[in-house]
């Protein structure tokens, strides 16, 4: 009947909705492994804004890089970046936009970032408690600026979410978090945060960082989230190298 140790756990690894004897939902752990296979992404909250950054490595030089975007605009003042399975993130981005639009139609004001994150996390949690579905193989970093000031949240496949001062997800997240712990400062302004984000990505990056293999999204006091152009990213990279 299930055996002991690893054999006992593996007997439950194909069922999403059945707890293993040790109290784990093994499929959620597998979903986190999918996230940890993804390219590194990170976010830093500054005094006057938030930056999210990600590696954007193309599988082959034959892919048109201008059609690949890992950072999604959700509302005018909020965007997200993912690590893990790209198609899963598209589904969540679409659901987030619908939730934001429904809020706007009801209240005629932008949805607060925390509430938007809760809506997305609820969808992710529902996919851990239903038959015939699988968890989302993606973690998200959500950056926004609302009446509460700059906000940075991380959402994981289990539906767990927390507000962070700085965080990293994906393949190199442990090294990136160590680097951020050393460099982060609560008095940091957005320009410094952008430099720190690039330095952190650089730390674990195979090869040379350039404007084509890194993507940056920022939101400042103007409450307008935007993805920086390759030319802007190149300028910041130059400043970091000086």
């Amino acid at each position: 009947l299930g055996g002991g140790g690893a054999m006992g756990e593996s007997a439950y690894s194909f069922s999403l909705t059945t707890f293993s004897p040790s109290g784990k939902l093994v499929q959620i752990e597998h979903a986190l492994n999918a996230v940890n296979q993804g390219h590194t992404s990170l976010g830093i909250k500054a005094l006057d804004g938030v930056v999210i950054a990600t590696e954007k490595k193309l599988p082959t030089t034959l892919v048109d890089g201008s059609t690949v975007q890992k950072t999604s605009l959700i509302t005018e003042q909020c965007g997200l970046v993912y690590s893990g399975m790209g198609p899963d993130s598209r589904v969540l981005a679409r659901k987030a936009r619908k939730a934001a639009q429904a809020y706007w139609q009801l209240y005629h004001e932008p949805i607060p970032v925390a509430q938007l994150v809760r809506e997305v996390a609820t969808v992710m949690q529902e996919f851990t408690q239903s038959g015939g579905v699988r968890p989302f193989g993606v973690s998200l970093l959500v950056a926004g600026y609302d009446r509460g000031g700059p906000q940075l949240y991380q959402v994981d496949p289990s539906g767990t979410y927390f507000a962070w001062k700085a965080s990293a997800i994906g393949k190199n997240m442990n090294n990136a978090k160590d680097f951020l712990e050393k460099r982060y400062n609560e008095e940091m302004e957005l320009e410094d945060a952008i430099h720190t984000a690039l330095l952190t990505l650089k730390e674990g990056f195979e090869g040379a960082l350039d404007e084509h293999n890194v993507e940056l999204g920022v939101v400042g006091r103007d409450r307008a989230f935007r993805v920086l152009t390759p030319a802007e990213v190149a300028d910041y990279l130059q400043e970091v190298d000086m």
Side-chain angles (χ1 to χ4, degrees):
L1 285 170
M7 278 299 292
E9 292 289 309
S10 66
Y12 295 84
S13 67
F14 293 106
S15 169
L16 170 59
T17 53
T18 308
F19 284 98
S20 73
S22 64
K24 293 175 180 171
L25 289 170
V26 186
Q27 281 297 308
I28 293 177
E29 295 187 2
H30 295 340
L32 277 168
N33 289 339
V35 173
N36 294 338
Q37 297 303 311
H39 295 313
T40 309
S41 303
L42 60 95
I44 303 173
K45 183 174 82 164
L47 275 179
D48 56 342
V50 187
V51 56
I52 48 179
T54 186
E55 296 176 3
K56 190 174 84 169
K57 290 180 179 170
L58 301 177
T60 163
T61 53
L62 299 177
V63 172
D64 179 356
S66 66
T67 63
V68 179
Q69 195 168 43
K70 288 188 66 184
T71 310
S72 305
L73 181 72
I74 303 302
T75 68
E76 284 182 9
Q77 57 186 22
C78 181
L80 62 80
V81 70
Y82 72 89
S83 285
M85 300 174 69
D88 285 15
S89 83
R90 282 204 307 272
V91 172
L92 289 168
R94 193 168 66 243
K95 286 180 182 289
R97 288 181 188 125
K98 281 185 177 175
Q101 197 60 35
Y103 187 95
W104 174 268
Q105 286 178 324
L106 194 58
Y107 299 109
H108 301 290
E109 64 177 33
I111 187 169
V113 179
Q115 192 163 337
L116 180 67
V117 168
R118 191 164 65 243
E119 296 284 349
V120 175
T122 299
V123 171
M124 292 173 88
Q125 192 280 330
E126 283 169 1
F127 275 69
T128 69
Q129 212 176 358
S130 312
V133 300
R134 64 161 175 79
F136 287 92
V138 73
S139 281
L140 306 174
L141 289 173
V142 183
Y145 203 122
D146 59 20
R147 280 184 292 195
Q151 318 264 336
L152 173 67
Y153 284 87
Q154 178 179 326
V155 195
D156 290 325
S158 62
T160 305
Y161 67 94
F162 292 106
W164 290 76
K165 296 171 183 174
S167 187
I169 53 177
K171 199 176 285 182
N172 198 39
M173 69 169 188
N174 291 330
N175 291 340
K177 278 186 177 175
D178 288 344
F179 190 83
L180 286 168
E181 280 175 13
K182 289 174 193 151
R183 301 292 293 248
Y184 183 76
N185 168 7
E186 297 207 7
E187 301 303 308
M188 190 182 271
E189 295 195 341
L190 187 55
E191 290 292 302
D192 298 331
I194 293 170
H195 293 150
T196 303
L198 288 172
L199 286 168
T200 309
L201 277 184
K202 211 172 180 184
E203 193 73 5
F205 195 80
E206 294 164 18
L209 270 190
D210 64 39
E211 65 271 29
H212 304 298
N213 58 23
V214 64
E215 202 169 273
L216 290 172
V218 297
V219 60
R221 285 204 170 103
D222 59 358
R223 300 191 190 182
F225 181 89
R226 66 190 189 91
V227 179
L228 299 189
T229 64
E232 288 173 305
V233 174
D235 288 344
Y236 279 117
L237 283 168
Q238 218 169 2
E239 289 170 20
V240 165
D241 288 335
M242 282 165 70

